[in-house]
Amino acid sequence: MTADGLQLIVMGPPGSGKGTQSVALATDIGAMHISTGDLFRYHERSATSLGDQIQDFMKKGDLVPDDITIAMLKDKIESLPDSMGYILDGFPRTLNQAISFDKMLTAGNSKLDLVICIDVPERQLENRLLRRIVCAECSLVYGSHVGGEYDEYCKNCGGKLQKRVDDSDKEVIGHRLKKYMDLSLPIIDHYQAHGILHRIDGTGPVIEVTTAIKRVLASTFKGTLSFNY
Ligand code: ADP
Ligand code: ZN
């Protein structure tokens, strides 16, 4: 079922499944999936000048500075066809990013429709990240591998599967999780105050989380969106 022009955010800590859920949802509703992390990794891989500027931040699990992040996202959104909706994954990560984004939308006579926050307790996240592998080409996430064994190539695009550099070191993982815990609360409060935040329990199987998100969307956009669960 498609929904012209819906502007959604899926947020959650690293390892919460926000990427997996955003991709599934974007496919279902015909929106563009925009992951700031994927965009940055694309620039790193392609060795663009932006890639050079950001690689140290990414490797250490630090946030890329707000001005760089916001400018990149603005470019990406402006490149979309007018009626194309999108799902933002991994943005905003600071209150400043959220406020700048509100201003950008207001200036374009537009607004956010909904923010989904996927909650997973911190103690489960480290394990998920240590087990996660991703496709180097299309960024598809493969949940877990046991004892270092995993397929070599992506079932989606044939790209090489690998561990992300920032998922390979417990210290870097800890740093990213702490950053999220420190910075996400004001963002959550901000969207709560705007009445557009919905929190979802992200501890269950992927399909259950997808269904819970679809239920929220179906009840929020009654008449516009419906799903076959
Ligand atoms: P995860 O949620 O697993 O940490 P992402 O792919 O969303 O993965 O982000 C990976 C890295 O990309 C972050 O650690 C950070 O360095 C950078 N990044 C992504 N999105 C943002 C953002 N909105 N602001 C600043 N840095 C970002
Ligand atoms: Zn792939």
Side-chain angles (χ1 to χ4, degrees), residues 9-18 61-63 89-95 115-122 125 129 172-189 191 197-200:
I9 284 177
V10 176
M11 58 182 289
S16 59
K18 63 184 184 320
D62 277 335
L63 292 186
D89 155 13
F91 181 96
R93 269 175 148 94
T94 64
L95 183 59
V115 178
I116 300 281
C117 180
I118 303 178
D119 295 310
V120 176
E122 197 174 348
L125 295 168
L129 292 170
V172 172
I173 289 176
H175 184 58
R176 284 156 60 209
L177 292 176
K178 180 166 184 337
K179 273 256 137 79
Y180 181 83
M181 301 306 159
D182 288 349
L183 297 174
S184 62
L185 209 54
I187 306 174
I188 289 169
D189 287 348
Y191 290 133
L197 182 85
H198 283 266
R199 301 191 80 151
I200 298 278

Side-chain angles (χ1 to χ4, degrees), residues 14-15 18 35-38 40-41 57-58 61-64 69 90-91 93 97 129 132 164 166 176:
K18 63 184 184 320
S35 154
T36 42
D38 286 352
F40 284 139
R41 279 184 290 276
F57 297 106
M58 306 263 306
D62 277 335
L63 292 186
V64 173
T69 305
F91 181 96
R93 269 175 148 94
Q97 289 182 7
L129 292 170
R132 171 164 89 172
R164 270 172 44 182
D166 58 351
R176 284 156 60 209

